[in-house]
């Protein structure tokens, strides 16, 4: 029969050439599921902040499902100096993607949020019910408010049109294909690149920005990719779901810096620049909802192992890595 090998789902991944998109691609290539056709798009394939360009993409690929990862993202210090840019660009991207998905009959959209969208002043651990309970931290209010609006859109499309649009809230993600740009990277890829340079230069000491005391949960990109696929195939609620390592796996930035230094082989002294900002001191997230809904216990990659793999990837792909 001619239709036997026709995929029943066409899944479009925006931001598909970035950290999480590459991880999802690696996981689905191992699965080799003939019922799903996957399309991974990067910024070169069209400007999602432009409505006409977004419509053209959807008309070309005709997705039945969308994983929406595309965003303007960056580290703490870049956010602090570009809050308006982060708000405007991300708001436009999210409006265009969700509205075009609705207009073209997409069955399900899974968007990606971040734990930084939660209120600055709150109780811990944070959970899915607390997203709108107060202002986010002032350091990245632009990005945070734009991302929060995805939840507002999802609720609106559900209530008015019955659409299955939802969002996941990962903790801090890292892994191969990360952004290692020294000006706009997140903490782990930024430290990997800087400590790599420090080792090459034979430095005797390395200065970490901030006190090193803030606490964070970090999830390896391959682990997040597997959980993303579970959400796409099994999670039918509109309310967001937190995809995070357990609360006991929270570590300080100083501990992360030490793990990276060890993985790179930097033998100098780590010092902390206490004149630099820390951002939020903690944003501990609860993954209780995820743990209750998944039938099998999910095993996260241990942080030292995941950091070592990420460091090795950066060193081996230094010339082609985003930096």
């Amino acid at each position: 029969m001619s239709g036997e090998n026709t995929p029943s789902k066409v899944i479009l991944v925006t931001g598909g050439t970035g950290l999480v998109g590459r991880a999802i691609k690696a996981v689905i290539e191992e699965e080799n599921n003939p019922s799903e056709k996957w399309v991974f798009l990067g910024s070169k394939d069209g400007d999602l902040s432009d409505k006409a360009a977004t419509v053209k993409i959807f008309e070309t690929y005709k997705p039945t499902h969308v994983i929406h990862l595309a965003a303007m993202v960056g580290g703490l210090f870049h956010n602090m100096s570009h809050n308006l840019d982060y708000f405007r660009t991300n708001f436009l991207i999210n409006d265009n993607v969700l509205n075009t998905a609705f207009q073209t009959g997409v069955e399900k959209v899974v968007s990606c949020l971040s734990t930084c969208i939660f209120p600055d002043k709150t109780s811990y651990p944070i959970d899915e019910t607390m997203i709108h309970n107060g202002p986010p931290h002032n350091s990245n209010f632009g990005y945070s408010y734009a991302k929060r609006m995805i939840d507002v859109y999802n609720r609106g499309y559900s209530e008015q049109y019955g659409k299955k649009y939802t969002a996941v809230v990962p903790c801090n993600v890292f892994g191969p294909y990360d952004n290692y740009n020294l000006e706009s990277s997140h903490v782990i890829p930024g430290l990997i690149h800087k400590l790599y340079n420090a080792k090459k230069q034979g430095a005797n000491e390395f200065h970490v920005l901030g006190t090193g005391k803030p606490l964070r949960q970090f999830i390896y990109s391959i682990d997040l990719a597997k959980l993303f696929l579970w959400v796409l195939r099994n999670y039918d609620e509109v309310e967001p779901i937190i995809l995070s390592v357990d609360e006991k796996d929270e570590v300080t930035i100083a501990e992360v810096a030490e793990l990276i230094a060890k993985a790179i082989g930097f033998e100098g002294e780590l010092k902390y620049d206490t004149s630099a900002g820390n951002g939020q001191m903690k944003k501990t997230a609860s993954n209780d909802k995820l743990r209750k809904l998944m039938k099998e216990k999910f095993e996260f990659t241990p942080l030292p192992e995941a950091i070592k793999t990420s460091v090795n990837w950066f060193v081996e792909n230094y010339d082609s890595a985003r930096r």
Side-chain angles (χ1 to χ4, degrees):
M1 294 176 64
S2 60
E4 282 185 354
N5 296 319
T6 302
S8 58
K9 295 179 182 177
V10 178
I11 303 130
L12 177 71
V13 183
T14 71
T17 59
L19 168 65
V20 180
R22 294 271 195 167
I24 292 173
K25 187 174 184 180
V27 173
I28 62 103
E29 283 177 348
E30 285 191 4
E31 291 183 349
N32 192 26
N33 185 344
S35 69
E36 297 175 347
K37 177 184 177 182
W38 288 79
V39 179
F40 293 86
L41 299 182
S43 57
K44 294 180 181 178
D45 296 299
D47 180 5
L48 293 174
S49 67
D50 178 83
K51 177 65 173 178
T54 307
V55 170
K56 184 177 180 181
I57 286 171
F58 277 71
E59 289 178 343
T60 299
Y61 297 104
K62 298 178 173 56
T64 60
H65 295 68
V66 172
I67 290 181
H68 176 35
L69 306 174
M72 178 183 179
V73 297
L76 168 65
F77 299 100
H78 198 260
N79 267 275
M80 289 170 70
S81 57
H82 296 82
N83 266 298
L84 179 60
D85 294 342
Y86 278 94
F87 178 80
R88 295 190 68 243
T89 301
N90 285 304
F91 185 86
L92 288 170
I93 290 172
N94 298 334
D95 183 65
N96 289 338
V97 168
L98 290 169
N99 185 247
T100 307
F102 167 68
Q103 291 173 335
T104 56
V106 170
E107 295 174 27
K108 186 172 184 177
V109 180
V110 180
S111 298
C112 191
L113 308 184
S114 166
T115 51
C116 70
I117 71 175
F118 282 90
D120 178 31
K121 293 178 172 55
T122 187
S123 58
Y124 294 98
I126 49 181
D127 64 35
E128 292 84 355
T129 67
M130 300 163 68
I131 290 175
H132 302 285
N133 286 1
H137 193 270
N138 196 50
S139 63
N140 62 352
F141 70 87
Y143 177 83
S144 297
Y145 275 121
K147 282 290 189 177
R148 280 188 188 186
M149 290 303 102
I150 289 180
D151 182 51
V152 176
Y153 275 122
N154 289 344
R155 289 163 56 190
Y157 280 116
S158 173
E159 290 178 12
Q160 281 190 234
Y161 303 108
K163 302 302 292 185
K164 289 184 179 179
Y165 297 167
T166 190
V168 304
V169 189
C171 58
N172 297 270
V173 192
F174 72 98
Y177 299 99
D178 213 331
N179 171 22
Y180 295 89
N181 184 281
L182 295 176
E183 298 298 323
S184 60
S185 60
H186 288 109
V187 61
I188 285 184
L191 284 171
I192 288 174
H193 193 172
K194 290 173 183 177
L195 278 161
Y196 173 84
N197 289 345
K199 182 187 176 184
K200 278 182 63 177
Q201 295 161 6
N204 293 321
E205 60 182 41
F206 176 81
H207 290 261
V208 180
L209 294 176
T211 64
K213 294 179 180 179
L215 288 160
R216 294 291 184 268
Q217 290 157 293
F218 293 95
I219 186 169
Y220 184 45
S221 58
I222 296 296
D223 293 345
L224 178 59
K226 293 174 181 177
L227 293 174
F228 242 111
L229 295 179
W230 177 84
V231 170
L232 180 73
R233 297 164 180 164
N234 300 285
Y235 182 74
D236 289 327
E237 297 180 24
V238 174
E239 289 74 20
I241 183 167
I242 290 173
L243 305 182
S244 172
V245 297
D246 299 317
E247 294 169 47
K248 66 178 177 58
D249 296 320
E250 193 172 48
V251 292
T252 66
I253 298 301
E255 289 174 301
V256 171
E258 289 164 5
L259 286 171
I260 294 171
K262 181 180 179 181
I264 282 180
F266 177 76
E267 298 179 352
E269 182 182 0
L270 297 183
K271 294 188 174 182
Y272 294 87
D273 181 0
T274 57
S275 67
N278 276 316
Q280 285 179 273
M281 290 306 294
K282 65 181 296 181
K283 44 183 178 177
T284 316
S286 167
N287 65 4
D288 282 354
K289 184 175 181 178
L290 175 69
R291 289 295 195 192
K292 289 174 182 175
L293 290 175
M294 289 193 83
K295 293 179 180 178
E296 297 181 2
K297 181 175 173 60
F298 188 85
E299 297 292 341
F300 291 95
T301 305
L303 186 60
E305 177 186 332
I307 284 180
K308 180 61 177 174
T309 302
S310 303
V311 165
N312 290 346
W313 183 90
F314 177 72
V315 173
E316 292 166 6
N317 296 274
Y318 179 79
D319 291 334
S320 59
R322 286 187 294 159
R323 55 185 179 83

